[in-house]
Amino acid sequence: AQSVTQLGSHVSVSEGALVLLRCNYSSSVPPYLFWYVQYPNQGLQLLLKYTSAATLVKGINGFEAEFKKSETSFHLTKPSAHMSDAAEYFCAVDDGGGADGLTFGKGTHLIIQP
Amino acid sequence: NAGVTQTPKFQVLKTGQSMTLQCAQDMNHEYMSWYRQDPGMGLRLIHYSVGAGITDQGEVPNGYNVSRSTTEDFPLRLLSAAPSQTSVYFCASTLALFGGNTIYFGEGSWLTVV
């Protein structure tokens, strides 16, 4: 069975600082991995996804994530935080093991300090 | 460019009342699903459908009912609302499971049961 762990329910960074949101997964087979962002009172929007093409995946709004099989991780980074990045971020995994689709982490709330 | 459309956006129900959350997608996606989002719990799958006429239970199906008479529509019914069903509900769709296909989300429905 697949599972996702996001370390830190809240992460606070200063504007202009590096953003690092951690995601570790558990899967018996090479998975597909996703990061979604949710702005206040809105639905989830895809940031980026890993589908076994390249281990470093670039997404929208300057975010990127690196798939590390040996560490079973898919951490999300952005070199310089903007105030507009304040949102909830969800990591999700799909290992194709069933028709119930993605398994989501519990989310990380990113706070940007001015 | 509608994508996934959910209605209503906000609803207040009394305990014991029933209601239907509507969901429609215009992308000809076979797979549709309903999630609920609660603080600290991430997204949990309620029900899903892999095509018209086919539905199945997710992680938290109790108290909810679904049907899929057309490819486009996937309504979620609350049979007898309870305060524990106070939550944010998201409808989602994707072309097909597996293969790393992006799952698209609606804007959400905020439900309060008093």
Side-chain angles (χ1 to χ4, degrees), chain B residues 45-100:
Chain B
L45 184 66
I46 303 172
H47 285 284
Y48 63 94
S49 168
V50 298
I54 306 169
T55 64
D56 207 343
Q57 297 180 351
E59 181 184 357
V60 288
N62 292 341
Y64 307 94
N65 198 6
V66 292
S67 59
R68 184 94 179 272
S69 57
T70 67
T71 298
E72 294 77 19
D73 300 299
F74 190 46
L76 178 72
R77 297 181 185 87
L78 280 70
L79 307 174
S80 178
S84 61
Q85 294 178 302
T86 294
S87 187
V88 184
Y89 293 85
F90 289 99
C91 180
S93 75
T94 187
L95 185 62
L97 285 182
F98 322 134

Side-chain angles (χ1 to χ4, degrees), chain A residues 96-114:
Chain A
D100 52 357
L102 296 183
T103 297
F104 285 87
K106 295 189 185 306
T108 297
H109 185 62
L110 178 62
I111 302 163
I112 311 297
Q113 304 282 0

